[in-house]
Amino acid sequence: MPRRGLTRELVAGVAAEVADEMGFDALTLSAVAQRLGVSQPALYKHVPGIDALRRDVAVQAVEELVLAIGDARQYRRGRAALEAVAVAYREYAARHPGRVAASVRAPALGDDEHASAGARAVGVLAGVLEDYGIAGTDTVHAVRAVRATLHGFVVLEAAGGFGLPESVDESFDRLLAGLDLALSRHVAKPS
């Protein structure tokens, strides 16, 4: 019988905390079970295995990111929107490094919940890109560029990859200025 009060959502929430502390790649069922004070086999009543647990953390992370970047974008346009979304992403990554690592996982085929969360995140970024006149299939390429740029920066920052004494905040500001310039000059690939 499932432990009273233990749900798949609660297990995923605890798994997200463990991922933030240990790293997403180090997430295990035994660590989550230990944190919950249950045996590992007891988790199987709520989640079928580590792949499902990682998927649940990914969905939770994407949904949290949608809220964070969506709130940041609200009432802003153009560069102000880009900067607000980027800062919100960076702040989320600093607070939740394991979750942000999980958030980059693409949904499995047929996983409508995960795909829907991902589509909402892409929708926020697409709204920012519309301000730059980027639309249609160009949006996909621009979203990928923005995601890769922001994620690359936050991963390097979290890993201590910016060891030189110059301000990391200034580097981030310059990165955003360059991204703004690139998006402003975006030219669709000729057919």
Side-chain angles (χ1 to χ4, degrees):
M1 167 170 260
R3 178 179 164 191
R4 174 171 257 147
L6 200 58
T7 65
R8 187 166 180 163
E9 292 76 24
L10 177 64
V11 171
V14 169
E17 292 170 7
V18 170
D20 286 340
E21 293 168 16
M22 298 174 52
F24 184 65
D25 291 338
L27 178 65
T28 64
L29 288 167
S30 64
V32 174
Q34 183 177 10
R35 178 73 55 91
L36 287 166
V38 299
S39 68
Q40 185 174 328
L43 289 182
Y44 291 111
K45 295 176 176 111
H46 305 283
V47 63
I50 189 65
D51 290 337
L53 185 63
R54 289 175 187 271
R55 174 259 178 217
D56 290 353
V57 172
V59 171
Q60 177 181 330
V62 173
E63 289 174 346
E64 291 172 354
L65 272 168
V66 167
L67 291 174
I69 66 176
D71 287 349
R73 182 190 186 312
Q74 201 169 31
Y75 310 118
R76 293 179 176 88
R77 295 187 50 79
R79 184 172 178 166
L82 175 66
E83 289 175 353
V85 165
V87 167
Y89 186 82
R90 184 180 180 204
E91 289 172 350
Y92 181 85
R95 284 189 317 273
H96 304 294
R99 292 177 219 202
V100 86
S103 73
V104 299
R105 291 172 57 117
L109 202 57
D111 187 342
D112 295 338
E113 180 186 19
H114 193 177
S116 176
R120 288 192 305 278
V122 168
V124 173
L125 292 178
V128 172
L129 296 171
E130 283 177 13
D131 298 342
Y132 287 93
I134 300 171
T137 57
D138 288 338
T139 302
V140 172
H141 303 295
V143 164
R144 287 176 178 162
V146 170
R147 283 184 67 207
T149 301
L150 295 179
H151 191 73
F153 190 95
V154 302
V155 166
L156 285 168
E157 185 174 29
F162 299 133
L164 298 175
E166 287 76 19
S167 168
V168 176
D169 291 336
E170 183 175 342
S171 296
F172 190 70
D173 291 343
R174 289 180 182 210
L175 175 95
L176 294 180
L179 194 52
D180 173 63
L181 182 63
L183 293 172
S184 296
R185 295 185 176 176
H186 176 81
V187 177
K189 181 179 176 184
S191 352

